[in-house]
Amino acid sequence: VRDCLTYWCNIIILSHDGNECISANAKYCGQCIQAGAKCGWCTDPDFLKQGETVSTRCDELQSLKSRGCKDEMIANPRGEQKILKNKMVTNRRKGTDKLRPEDITQIQPQKISLNLRSGEPQSFTLKFKRAEDYPIDLYYLMDLSYSMKDDLENVKNLGTSLMLEMSKITSDFRIGFGSFVEKTVMPYISTTPAKLLNPCTGDQNCTSPFSYKNVLKLTSDGKKFNTLVGQQHISGNLDSPEGGFDAIMQVAVCGEQIGWRNVTRLLVFSTDAGFHFAGDGKLGGIVLPNDGKCHLENNVYTMSHYYDYPSIAHLVQKLSDNNIQTIFAVTEEFQPVYQELKNLIPKSAVGTLSANSSNVINLIIDAYNSLSSEVILENSKLPEGVSIIYTSRCKNGIISEGENGRKCSNISIGDEVTFNISVTSKGCPKQGKPETIKIKPLGFTEEVEITLNFICECECHKDGIENSDLCHFGNGTYECGACKCNDGRVGRFCECSSHEVATEDMDRTCRKDNGTDICSNNGECVCGTCECKKRENPEERYSGQYCQCDNFNCDRSGNKLCGGHGRCECRVCICDYPWTGSACDCSLDNSTCMASNKQICNGRGTCECGTCKCTDPKFQGPTCETCPTCPGVCTEHKECVQCRAFGTGEKKDTCERDCSYFNLIKVKDRNKLPQPNDASYPVMHCKERDANDCWFYYTYAVNNNTEKEVHVVDTLDCPAGPDIIPIVAGVVAGIVLIGLALLLIWKLLMIIHDRREFAKFEKEKMNAKWDTGENPIYKSAVTTVVNPKYEGK
């Protein structure tokens, strides 16, 4: 448990997100400046307070200054750069005086020195410009297996034609020729004596198989190229993939035999088949990896039976190291294979091999233009902890970063592009010695040489005194205001041996009042003296003989330590005048309590800590001058409330100017208005009438922040007008009902009258005496005759 409370454990916990200078736990100046670019070391011998460790001298610059370290006492070395060679890029035009290749410059600067401080990037600008009439070396490497017979005939006249076409691009052009077939072991070729003499079948006369042969060293004589190539004969092998990688490796590394110059180097690789690569040699019992060295004897590769094929990565490295750009001229059938290979080999191109020699020339020229129009920067292996960031500024103002910041495309002859290169070191290499890295455009021989010098120590380190008496009888080196202890010694002045640090006798002196806590659990006991642990916040510190004090656990006011009006010392606020109180939040100045009548708190309260405490509950405000519940308040604010809430009233035109002194809050109904029992301050309820005879309701109050608040119901209470539709409907309905009622009454009276008349008639009828005899004179007008023959049918 004790170990987890030590300073070291706390540093590990805090180092994840804290101040990198503090997290470094630097014991000397050099270690401090390697922690980060923001870190400085205070060399003032009296800088440390009781309980603070030596590593407390290492902090961010502003923090050191705020703790009292003067600018001239802060060690803070800065990085710098110096350009050692800065030859201007060549502006020569074609047709002017001919220059040697080494006199042509396409990249600037050529040599630079950087002094790197850990975490501080050093940037410089690299300029690239394609020179016109730049020399070109082209080596034509051809597959001479039997299937390439027709293509060999086309190449025999390639030399003079290509020289003629390339003269349009450069006045200094050289061409060479080489051929390859396969490793001369089974199962790649037949090793029977007859097949070794002539691997072809039938009456075909073929030359003996071989791995790689340098036929013609680079030359400017096109006729010689035609002559030697015309003497070549086709050969043969058993399997389809060829040993082209063996040939490419020898062309890349045998610079003297091939005749490469420090100019643009082009390798045209012509084949109609695939390729063997590392591992395929096991078929022939060859397991030794390719050594990447030249093994040409009499211009013939003699170690094909001994070394395996090179890997693609190995080939890429050698082509890049020797600034060779590759053009794969292959048949359409194998285009996809070599397109994938092109993606693995920077600065390479793929074209379709044709049976026409003029097409081959066009392929080479198009591929050259494509390769030379793109510049890609590449750097050598970086020392540990060193990183590089590229930013390109290409044609038409195009800016790219990251991996795309390494390259520019569509560059024509004479175009100038720039790259911003930022180099950063994290810490120092173990040996601390200068390192050299190189940056160059792929496919070009020119490069920038950068010497990296690492700032691993402060300037004051040079003035250090070894075995100084200030470091306890010479047990350390006194440098930069502190002791840098020898191995096995610890303590601020190296006064203890490392195996004596945790003895019980020493721990006893680190316990306050003979308690159980060592250094109040806020530090570590070193040599009988408490060294307080550090906090993540560099402004917060433990101090004291037993680390019992700190400067961050004092009372706060307004979320500020000591109210922002004092400093915290050993958990007690030391207030600035005129402040007092445990949190320095009480002002002794009564001027803030003075009312407009020159009375303290308007005579209605007392001034406490610069704030009025009103004794009359009706009054409030900073000087007890506001009475929100006094008569006349509602009338006083009526017009402003009316114009701000409803846009009406006498002040509607000057509302913004005259009525912005209170905060207006609208509510839906009267129940939402603040009630006297709900608020901690007096609230005045108001009811006023406007010009339209409408009532509006609001409250007026001054809150605890002395802000005037008005809550208003956002709807007016206006008297309701007559509802026309119900009235009209009622009148119509009344008229209809009255008419119906009158008709019914008339009808009822008529019925009653008729019934009475009928009854009177019936009564008179009953009283009448009528004679019922027949009149003898009366003759009926009806005569009935019966047919005697009618039977009712």
Side-chain angles (χ1 to χ4, degrees):
V1 175
R2 172 184 169 185
D3 290 338
C4 286
L5 293 175
T6 61
Y7 167 78
W8 304 104
C9 279
N10 282 280
I11 285 297
I12 293 172
I13 294 171
L14 295 175
S15 62
H16 294 292
D17 301 308
N19 184 319
E20 61 181 355
C21 308
I22 293 177
S23 302
N25 191 34
K27 297 300 183 183
Y28 57 93
C29 187
Q31 195 174 21
C32 174
I33 64 172
Q34 293 180 41
K38 297 180 181 179
C39 301
W41 177 272
C42 185
T43 61
D44 187 353
D46 301 323
F47 175 71
L48 297 182
K49 296 180 180 178
Q50 188 177 33
E52 292 183 340
T53 62
V54 174
S55 58
T56 311
R57 293 179 177 274
C58 183
D59 206 341
E60 293 184 355
L61 303 182
Q62 191 58 43
S63 179
L64 289 176
K65 293 176 184 178
S66 64
R67 290 166 57 193
C69 190
K70 299 178 181 179
D71 287 347
E72 61 270 18
M73 301 297 288
I74 298 177
N76 180 34
R78 310 312 301 176
E80 61 180 0
Q81 56 181 268
K82 182 183 294 184
I83 297 178
L84 305 178
K85 187 177 181 182
N86 194 30
K87 185 179 177 182
M88 298 296 291
V89 292
T90 302
N91 292 317
R92 181 176 68 95
R93 297 284 181 179
K94 186 177 179 182
T96 59
D97 294 337
K98 189 172 183 179
L99 297 176
R100 295 176 303 171
E102 55 268 23
D103 294 331
I104 299 175
T105 304
Q106 297 183 109
I107 192 169
Q108 179 188 359
Q110 295 78 39
K111 196 170 185 179
I112 191 170
S113 174
L114 301 180
N115 290 343
L116 296 179
R117 161 82 185 271
S118 178
E120 180 188 26
Q122 289 294 320
S123 301
F124 66 94
T125 299
L126 185 148
K127 184 188 299 183
F128 177 85
K129 182 177 182 180
R130 277 189 62 191
E132 188 171 349
D133 197 25
Y134 195 74
I136 299 174
D137 283 354
L138 185 146
Y139 191 84
Y140 200 98
L141 180 60
M142 186 173 185
D143 176 10
L144 285 190
S145 57
Y146 186 76
S147 58
M148 292 287 288
K149 181 178 180 181
D150 294 338
D151 298 282
L152 177 60
E153 294 299 323
N154 292 328
V155 176
K156 289 180 179 180
N157 297 318
L158 181 65
T160 53
S161 301
L162 187 59
M163 292 291 293
L164 180 63
E165 291 297 325
M166 293 301 289
S167 65
K168 300 176 182 179
I169 299 175
T170 176
S171 60
D172 189 357
F173 176 71
R174 298 199 309 170
I175 189 171
F177 184 82
S179 59
F180 67 91
V181 180
E182 186 55 277
K183 289 184 180 294
T184 55
V185 294
M186 284 289 291
Y188 312 110
I189 66 168
S190 175
T191 56
T192 60
K195 289 293 183 182
L196 286 176
L197 291 175
N198 182 5
C200 300
T201 58
D203 58 351
Q204 297 292 333
N205 185 22
C206 297
T207 188
S208 300
F210 56 91
S211 177
Y212 162 68
K213 185 186 299 181
N214 178 27
V215 178
L216 174 64
K217 187 176 181 179
L218 288 165
T219 178
S220 56
D221 188 351
K223 294 181 179 180
K224 185 176 181 181
F225 178 92
N226 291 348
T227 301
L228 288 176
V229 174
Q231 298 173 358
Q232 302 303 305
H233 296 283
I234 213 73
S235 184
N237 62 319
L238 296 179
D239 61 343
S240 176
E242 315 296 359
F245 277 14
D246 272 343
I248 294 176
M249 177 62 76
Q250 294 303 301
V251 171
V253 298
C254 298
E256 185 177 347
Q257 291 86 338
I258 302 298
W260 292 119
R261 298 176 296 170
N262 285 332
V263 297
T264 299
R265 299 175 176 179
L266 299 179
L267 170 61
V268 179
F269 182 84
S270 176
T271 183
D272 65 346
F275 48 82
H276 284 295
F277 54 89
D280 289 353
K282 292 182 179 180
L283 295 172
I286 304 172
V287 296
L288 196 63
N290 194 288
D291 65 350
K293 295 181 180 179
C294 182
H295 297 287
L296 291 184
E297 294 183 10
N298 296 322
N299 287 320
V300 176
Y301 180 40
T302 59
M303 301 297 284
S304 65
H305 65 287
Y306 189 74
Y307 290 114
D308 192 7
Y309 302 98
S311 66
I312 296 176
H314 195 185
L315 210 58
V316 169
Q317 177 193 348
K318 292 301 181 181
L319 289 171
S320 175
D321 291 345
N322 293 279
N323 307 306
I324 296 174
Q325 303 176 66
T326 309
I327 301 172
F328 295 104
V330 297
T331 55
E332 188 172 353
E333 178 186 359
F334 284 92
Q335 283 268 337
V337 175
Y338 283 89
Q339 283 289 351
E340 292 296 326
L341 181 61
K342 168 188 172 296
N343 295 334
L344 300 175
I345 301 179
K347 296 289 284 185
S348 61
V350 176
T352 303
L353 185 63
S354 172
N356 192 320
S357 61
S358 62
N359 289 339
V360 175
I361 295 174
N362 292 334
L363 183 156
I364 294 173
I365 293 177
D366 291 343
Y368 166 74
N369 289 331
S370 173
L371 291 173
S372 59
S373 66
E374 182 178 52
V375 57
I376 303 175
L377 295 186
E378 179 190 52
N379 55 266
S380 59
K381 184 178 180 182
L382 299 175
E384 183 180 359
V386 176
S387 61
I388 294 183
I389 297 176
Y390 295 88
T391 302
S392 63
R393 286 176 172 82
C394 306
K395 290 178 64 177
N396 302 322
I398 298 175
I399 299 176
S400 302
E401 298 178 348
E403 281 302 309
N404 289 330
R406 291 175 173 264
K407 61 184 179 180
C408 282
S409 302
N410 300 321
I411 302 174
S412 302
I413 293 175
D415 287 341
E416 184 175 289
V417 295
T418 60
F419 297 85
N420 182 268
I421 301 174
S422 178
V423 183
T424 307
S425 171
K426 187 62 178 176
C428 280
K430 294 180 181 179
Q431 65 274 17
K433 295 180 181 179
E435 298 276 357
T436 299
I437 61 173
K438 294 181 180 181
I439 298 177
K440 68 175 183 178
L442 283 175
F444 295 86
T445 58
E446 297 172 74
E447 62 188 12
V448 180
E449 181 180 310
I450 306 173
T451 302
L452 305 180
N453 301 296
F454 301 95
I455 302 176
C456 300
E457 292 288 353
C458 303
E459 285 294 326
C460 53
H461 168 73
K462 300 176 182 178
D463 302 325
I465 304 173
E466 295 185 2
N467 303 321
S468 172
D469 292 337
L470 296 174
C471 301
H472 197 265
F473 305 108
N475 287 319
T477 300
Y478 187 78
E479 64 176 51
C480 303
C483 285
K484 180 179 178 182
C485 298
N486 297 334
D487 292 341
R489 304 297 297 187
V490 293
R492 183 182 293 188
F493 300 104
C494 311
E495 63 269 29
C496 289
S497 174
S498 57
H499 65 272
E500 297 173 348
V501 171
T503 62
E504 187 63 29
D505 290 339
M506 289 186 177
D507 285 351
R508 188 180 296 113
T509 62
C510 296
R511 296 189 178 98
K512 184 180 180 181
D513 300 329
N514 291 325
T516 57
D517 294 336
I518 295 178
C519 299
S520 306
N521 286 336
N522 293 324
E524 182 183 32
C525 188
V526 179
C527 299
T529 302
C530 283
E531 289 190 357
C532 304
K533 65 183 179 183
K534 289 181 285 187
R535 302 270 298 174
E536 181 177 4
N537 184 347
E539 301 297 328
E540 299 177 356
R541 299 184 300 277
Y542 291 107
S543 61
Q545 181 179 355
Y546 302 102
C547 301
Q548 75 278 14
C549 296
D550 62 61
N551 67 341
F552 55 87
N553 272 323
C554 292
D555 291 340
R556 295 175 179 266
S557 176
N559 202 29
K560 293 182 179 180
L561 191 67
C562 297
H565 302 127
R567 64 186 185 280
C568 181
E569 292 185 3
C570 204
R571 303 186 179 182
V572 176
C573 283
I574 308 299
C575 301
D576 301 330
Y577 181 82
W579 298 91
T580 187
S582 62
C584 300
D585 54 351
C586 183
S587 176
L588 300 176
D589 185 8
N590 291 336
S591 61
T592 56
C593 297
M594 193 69 68
S596 58
N597 57 8
K598 304 302 180 182
Q599 291 185 339
I600 298 294
C601 298
N602 197 30
R604 293 185 172 88
T606 59
C607 186
E608 298 179 7
C609 298
T611 303
C612 283
K613 301 294 183 182
C614 302
T615 55
D616 190 337
K618 293 190 300 180
F619 289 87
Q620 58 183 149
T623 55
C624 300
E625 293 182 273
T626 305
C627 181
T629 58
C630 293
V633 170
C634 293
T635 304
E636 178 184 355
H637 303 291
K638 169 187 173 182
E639 295 297 335
C640 282
V641 173
Q642 187 178 352
C643 79
R644 287 190 60 184
F646 307 107
T648 60
E650 296 179 1
K651 293 187 177 182
K652 64 179 181 179
D653 296 329
T654 60
C655 192
E656 185 175 351
R657 182 189 67 194
D658 300 338
C659 301
S660 59
Y661 58 87
F662 60 82
N663 296 329
L664 182 70
I665 303 170
K666 293 185 178 182
V667 297
K668 294 295 183 182
D669 52 56
R670 295 171 64 182
N671 294 330
K672 302 295 184 180
L673 292 173
Q675 303 301 316
N677 296 332
D678 298 336
S680 59
Y681 44 84
V683 177
M684 184 67 177
H685 281 256
C686 301
K687 176 183 177 183
E688 297 293 334
R689 179 180 293 176
D690 64 9
N692 296 323
D693 208 27
C694 295
W695 294 96
F696 58 94
Y697 303 88
Y698 65 93
T699 62
Y700 177 81
V702 180
N703 62 23
N704 294 330
N705 295 326
T706 70
E707 296 175 344
K708 297 176 182 179
E709 286 184 354
V710 172
H711 289 73
V712 62
V713 178
D714 61 2
T715 56
L716 293 169
D717 187 4
C718 298
D723 197 344
I724 302 300
I725 294 176
I727 292 175
V728 172
V731 170
V732 173
I735 293 173
V736 172
L737 291 174
I738 291 172
L740 290 174
L742 291 175
L743 288 173
L744 289 173
I745 293 172
W746 175 79
K747 184 66 176 178
L748 180 62
L749 292 175
M750 291 302 295
I751 292 172
I752 295 172
H753 178 266
D754 289 345
R755 286 184 178 181
R756 286 180 179 179
E757 290 293 327
F758 183 74
K760 183 178 178 182
F761 170 77
E762 287 292 331
K763 184 177 179 181
E764 291 179 352
K765 180 181 177 182
M766 292 296 298
N767 294 331
K769 301 295 185 178
W770 297 96
D771 185 2
T772 59
E774 295 182 356
N775 187 353
I777 301 175
Y778 172 75
K779 292 295 182 178
S780 174
V782 178
T783 301
T784 304
V785 179
V786 178
N787 186 355
K789 294 296 181 177
Y790 177 71
E791 295 179 358
K793 296 181 181 179

